[in-house]
Amino acid sequence: MSLARDERAALVESMRESGPDVPTMCEGWTARDLAVHLILRERRPDAAIGMFVPFLAGHTRSVEREYTAKQWPDLLDLVLNGPPWYSPFRLLDSVLNLAEMFVHHEDLLRGGADPDGPFLPRKLTPQLQKALERPLTMVARATLRSSPARVTLGSVDGRELVTVGRGDAVSVTGSTGELLLWAFGRAPVDVKVTGPDAAVAALANAERSV
């Protein structure tokens, strides 16, 4: 199995343990909502596009209701099986799915946690941390392109992974997984942010989303 498939399996196992009604880090979403999102993304591109094209939003909501009504074990089987063989999400699994599965797994695990409080992350393998570096670079360049500071994301072993934005220099240090979650605007995350107070405050108030 690939790391993406491993993380998918781990996500589904966590969903089985948690049940469909627990909160996630995605505001307003339960585990069921998260499962439906993943299924639409991979199996129903006709519905997924409605997330970005307003006049198709009604169709998206209709398909969402169809899947939301399914039994929880059936939803989990669809998530676990992943996209159909002909889907680009299967053909490019390691590129398109690893970060998606990791971030949404953490969305589930951290659901209900205090976004401003301390959080002890699960321990990731060195292989997974390394594999997340590529998507981290891609995501950071997208979410921080309008950053009010020049942000350098650095690993705990002292490497600079990516620098994005303009303005006063701010450093964000943490494991690759935590940096990826931070770049997506998730909270709580275990990172250290350092720099001029005004720049750090501006960065904290800036939106980070794709």
Side-chain angles (χ1 to χ4, degrees), residues 4-209:
R5 291 293 300 176
D6 288 345
E7 191 64 14
R8 180 189 296 273
L11 166 60
V12 171
E13 183 59 29
S14 293
M15 285 178 158
R16 290 191 198 281
E17 293 176 358
S18 72
D21 300 320
V22 299
T24 72
M25 279 201 296
C26 300
E27 186 175 357
W29 280 15
T30 63
R32 183 182 294 275
D33 297 318
L34 184 55
V36 170
H37 164 75
L38 291 170
I39 292 166
L40 263 61
R41 170 183 176 268
E42 297 183 333
R43 292 176 172 267
R44 294 296 303 268
D46 60 308
I49 196 172
M51 301 174 191
F52 310 99
V53 180
F55 77 87
L56 294 175
H59 174 60
T60 299
R61 288 192 293 270
S62 176
V63 177
E64 285 176 339
R65 287 193 294 269
E66 173 190 335
Y67 280 99
T68 298
K70 290 183 178 294
Q71 294 296 312
W72 182 235
D74 295 334
L75 284 179
L76 295 186
D77 286 344
L78 288 172
V79 175
L80 182 61
N81 291 335
W85 65 267
Y86 53 81
S87 168
F89 286 104
R90 182 173 289 274
L91 297 174
L92 298 173
D93 182 60
S94 63
V95 176
L96 299 178
N97 288 332
L98 177 59
E100 183 83 5
M101 294 303 127
F102 169 76
V103 169
H104 285 319
H105 192 183
E106 294 300 324
D107 284 335
L108 178 72
L109 295 175
R110 305 181 194 206
D114 181 358
D116 298 318
F119 188 85
L120 182 63
R122 63 183 167 125
K123 187 174 178 60
L124 306 183
T125 66
Q127 293 83 359
L128 180 54
Q129 294 279 18
K130 182 65 177 177
L132 290 172
E133 288 184 8
R134 181 180 180 187
L136 169 62
T137 299
M138 297 170 62
V139 168
R141 293 192 187 283
T143 64
L144 297 172
R145 62 185 180 278
S146 300
S147 169
R150 183 167 176 78
V151 183
T152 296
L153 303 184
S155 66
V156 292
D157 59 5
R159 291 179 299 124
E160 293 186 1
L161 300 175
V162 60
T163 298
V164 189
R166 297 180 179 179
D168 291 334
V170 173
S171 296
V172 184
T173 306
S175 69
T176 311
E178 295 301 296
L179 291 173
L180 180 61
L181 291 166
W182 181 87
F184 267 119
R186 300 303 206 262
V189 292
D190 184 20
V191 299
K192 182 178 181 181
V193 183
T194 57
D197 290 345
V200 170
L203 182 61
N205 292 324
E207 182 179 358
R208 297 190 302 277
S209 63

